[in-house]
Structures are given as structure tokens and as C-alpha cells.
Amino acid sequence: MRTLISVLTISTLLIAADSALQDDDGPPPSFLKPGNDYILRFAGKSPFKQTEGIPLDPYDNKGPNTARITSASITYFVSIFTVVELWGDSWVTVEHPKSIKDAFKWNFKRLAIAALTAETIAKLEATEDGQAHLVRLRKQASVEIETDRTWVNLNQIVAIAKPPTEPQDFKLNTKVQARD
């Protein structure tokens, strides 16, 4: 009889633990809306990030005082995604550039789209510099990029934010490190 009670107790505990674990997955957060853009930061290595070397000519000498660069690399990463569809158990379908090499264009495009609010447009139209910036924003927002869709488990995301709505300067920053 004790064996039967022990088996039943253990079975009950396992069933309770299993249902508790399943409840943790639950539906995606209610603040995510299909059609909206979000900045997603992945835990660990992002599947939407790639670094590759850039070929250099070591014999390209521009002068006697020119520092010789022996290696270089570029890191492409997608940080802004468009939510396409919400699924149960914390899964969402997101849209992103098909080629990782379009990551910069994609991120700049999505930032420009986020900045083109009625309030921002009215503010920029008020000045001549603002009008020029508005032309650049609209041009950046209209860039055509081939896209793909991927399922993402939100359990692998450590931060979710909406893109900023204030206009950004669309520049690529370079970081050069000289070896000692």
C-alpha cells in the first residue's frame, strides 16, 4: 500500500511540475503587435549578426607616414525587426533583411520609418535644415530591401524596445585600433 501511495504522490508531483513548466511558456507578451517594429536584443550570440574580414592590399602605400593596416573586419547585425505574427508558447514570426549584408540599410530604413511621425514631420518642416533632414529621412525610409521571415522564441530575447521616434543621424561609425 505504501508503494502505491508513493507512486501516486510522485505522479501527482510530476504532473503538477509539468503543467507549471508549460504555463511559463504562455502566449507572447500582449504589447507586441503585428506590423510594428521592435528592437530585439538576444541572449548570447544573435543569429542575426555576422562578422567577416575585409580583404586589404598590404602593398598599398599612400606615403611614408601612412600607418599600415594589416587586417580589418566588418560586423553586420540586425537590431530592428518587424513582428509579422504572434504564436503561442512565446514564438513570433519576424521580418528582417534576407541578406545579412543589408543589415545597415535595413536598420537605417526602420529608424527612418519610426521617425516619420506627424509630430516629427511638422517640427522638421518648420526650418530649412529640418526640411533637408526630412528629405533624407523619406529617402532612407523608401529604400527597397529584400526580406525574409524567421520564427523567434522570445525566451531567447533579453530586451524588447520600440525604435526611437526622434530623427537619427544615419552614419556608419568606424572604429580603428592600432596595434602597439
Side-chain angles (χ1 to χ4, degrees):
M1 182 72 158
R2 283 185 174 192
T3 307
L4 180 60
I5 292 174
S6 296
V7 169
L8 289 175
T9 303
I10 292 172
S11 298
T12 304
L13 290 174
L14 289 175
I15 290 170
D18 183 51
S19 64
L21 289 174
Q22 288 177 0
D23 288 345
D24 285 345
D25 288 338
S30 61
F31 64 87
L32 291 177
K33 304 287 184 227
N36 289 348
D37 287 346
Y38 297 93
I39 297 171
L40 302 180
R41 295 230 165 88
F42 289 83
K45 186 176 180 202
S46 169
F48 300 97
K49 183 176 183 178
Q50 177 181 328
T51 300
E52 65 180 40
I54 300 172
L56 298 175
D57 180 2
Y59 301 107
D60 184 14
N61 214 352
K62 304 267 191 233
N65 296 328
T66 303
R68 188 161 289 202
I69 298 173
T70 57
S71 66
S73 64
I74 187 167
T75 300
Y76 302 100
F77 65 94
V78 178
S79 59
I80 302 174
F81 299 84
T82 303
V83 171
V84 177
E85 197 167 356
L86 303 174
W87 298 90
D89 298 335
S90 300
W91 287 92
V92 296
T93 303
V94 295
E95 189 172 59
H96 54 85
K98 188 169 190 168
S99 169
I100 192 68
K101 292 186 179 184
D102 287 333
F104 295 122
K105 290 191 290 186
W106 172 266
N107 290 333
F108 291 160
K109 173 186 176 93
R110 303 321 294 182
L111 286 170
I113 290 170
L116 288 172
T117 64
E119 182 181 323
T120 302
I121 291 170
K123 197 183 299 182
L124 291 174
E125 286 178 337
T127 67
E128 197 171 307
D129 286 342
Q131 291 172 5
H133 193 75
L134 188 57
V135 167
R136 289 191 304 272
L137 279 174
R138 286 181 172 144
K139 181 179 178 186
Q140 193 65 46
S142 67
V143 170
E144 293 292 323
I145 301 168
E146 190 175 0
T147 62
D148 202 0
R149 292 179 175 181
T150 302
W151 290 50
V152 172
N153 189 322
L154 294 176
N155 292 328
Q156 301 302 313
I157 306 295
V158 294
I160 301 173
K162 290 187 176 186
T165 57
E166 61 275 348
Q168 306 289 310
D169 286 331
F170 300 110
K171 299 177 189 172
L172 289 177
N173 295 320
T174 57
K175 181 170 114 179
V176 177
Q177 293 177 325
R179 292 187 185 174
D180 295 330

